[in-house]
Amino acid sequence: MAGSSPAARRSRQWSSPDRRSISSLLTENRNSPLSHQDALAAAQAEHDRVREAAIRVYHDYELQEERRRLLEQQQRILEQQRLEEERIRTEERLRAEEERLRALKAKTVPKLPPEPPAPAPAPVAETNGSITAPEPAKRASAPANPEAISSSKPSPFGLQQPASTNGLNGQVNGATGGKVALPPLSQGFGQAQISPKGPSLATPSLFSQPTKPAVRQTNGQPTITPAKPVIVSDVDRYVEIHRNLKKLRASLLQQSKASPTLKQRMGDMRRELRKNMGQLVGEKGGNRKQSAAIQALLDESLSGRVPSQLVDPSDFITDKREPVEGALHNEPQLPSLFIYLLNHFAKAVINQFINECGAQPKTADPIGVLAAMIFSKDIYLWRGKTMIDILMAKLRVVCPVLFGYYGSDKTEQGRARLGWKKGPTGWIPEQQHTDRMKGLGAGYAAISLRNFANSKFTNPWPPTKYWTAMAKIVNTPPADISDTQCIVLRSMIESSEEKFIHFYGNAAIAALRKALVDFPNKAAEKTPGVSGLQVLAQILKRDIGLEL
């Protein structure tokens, strides 16, 4: 209000000095010059106080803004520094790779000196895939090194099997002796070392090649003996097992025509087995009923209550077996109905992987647990060893990538080598093929990464098989890397990396770095499958803190 005293306008934020009482304002000299001077002085003091407070607040605000600006600048500098350090590390890795590449290019392998001419060399005749031995005059040129002298043992199939280490020391043809030693990290996932006796994994072939004659030492003189027919790898043997299983199915069909009891019970067993496989759940202990039902079917087929012809189990395994003391089944033959049910069980396992595990890799775990348990039971072993080769033969046909095969997704021959399914109207769609490979890769990991440390049974497909399969994929030449390989490799690792690290520790981390960092980086073409491996590396870093 005009003319009112300054005392009536008090600041609510900053308190003013106390005014005189109202009685002093009503005195006769309230309008005197002296009273006005006092009022002006008080107003000036209040003005100065408010101004100083405003200046102080403004300075505080400026300090806060300056501090915030400096903090943002510091964070921006740190981020730029981190990016530069990452760039430098990347350039250093590239430089190191280029140096290794140049070193490899600079290496040369000296050629062998020409062989000395032998007097009257005898021709080597090749007849029906076998090589006849040359004359004794040629024997003098045989190597005298005992390590170079080989003697081959015949297999039950008339074919020789190489002693392949499968990328792991101490493991021969899938069997382990004592504790398995890991290969050096510089070699285990480096260039694949191919046994000179077996076909190269880079170009596997289903057709066997004739072998060179073996050389033996007799009384200090080298003696050349006729070679065995051929040598094939386990991978080729799986294809033969798959054919034998088809023949077994046709044989059971013929037997069922002559025996109505066998025909009815065989169909009921097959349907019941398939039904129980479809009822598997992911809860712990939730599959006991299904497992017991499947084992009851296998026990019935072994007992002979349903009569069927006897067959030689050697036709369905990859190794030669002799009777073992204490084994439940040492006899040379087993009921064909038992092998038939094992075959259908393996087929149901593969179908479950394909149909259920493509979108959800974790659902493969209960299926892998059941498969490993069935093939490890003593009652289902033959001569002390598992019959899981039946399952692996089917897996070899539907997913050859796990066994070292590779090819192009864009060619007919390449798709056939990669296990791309062909329907009545041609190749299945790409998305359907991708889902199949995802499920099969996750299923292979679920079978091979099982921990049998606290079990009285022997692991039918130990973790060394997982290491071998991964090594065969990552050792593919850069120009031959395909999307199918990348899809299978990712599904093998996804949701199974902790089990892998549990078994192999730091070696597993190095293998994961090779599979998820080095392998996609060396790919000639950056396809969606290659990018998926790099994305999985980032997911592992985000979710479990694994820095590769």
Side-chain angles (χ1 to χ4, degrees), residues 22-76:
I22 191 171
S23 59
S24 62
L25 297 176
L26 299 178
T27 57
E28 293 179 354
N29 60 349
R30 66 180 183 277
N31 291 326
S32 63
L34 184 58
S35 177
H36 282 290
Q37 290 178 0
D38 292 340
L40 289 173
Q44 182 64 35
E46 178 69 9
H47 173 75
D48 293 341
R49 187 185 64 79
V50 172
R51 183 175 179 275
E52 291 174 358
I55 293 173
R56 185 170 61 254
V57 170
Y58 176 74
H59 287 167
D60 292 341
Y61 175 78
E62 284 189 332
L63 289 175
Q64 291 178 0
E65 288 295 310
E66 181 67 16
R67 190 178 297 111
R68 183 180 62 82
R69 185 184 63 80
L70 292 176
L71 183 60
E72 291 178 352
Q73 184 178 2
Q74 181 183 7
Q75 292 178 349
R76 187 166 57 253

Side-chain angles (χ1 to χ4, degrees), residues 120-142:
V124 179
E126 181 176 353
T127 305
N128 295 330
S130 62
I131 301 178
T132 60
E135 294 297 325
K138 183 69 175 178
R139 295 173 187 170
S141 62

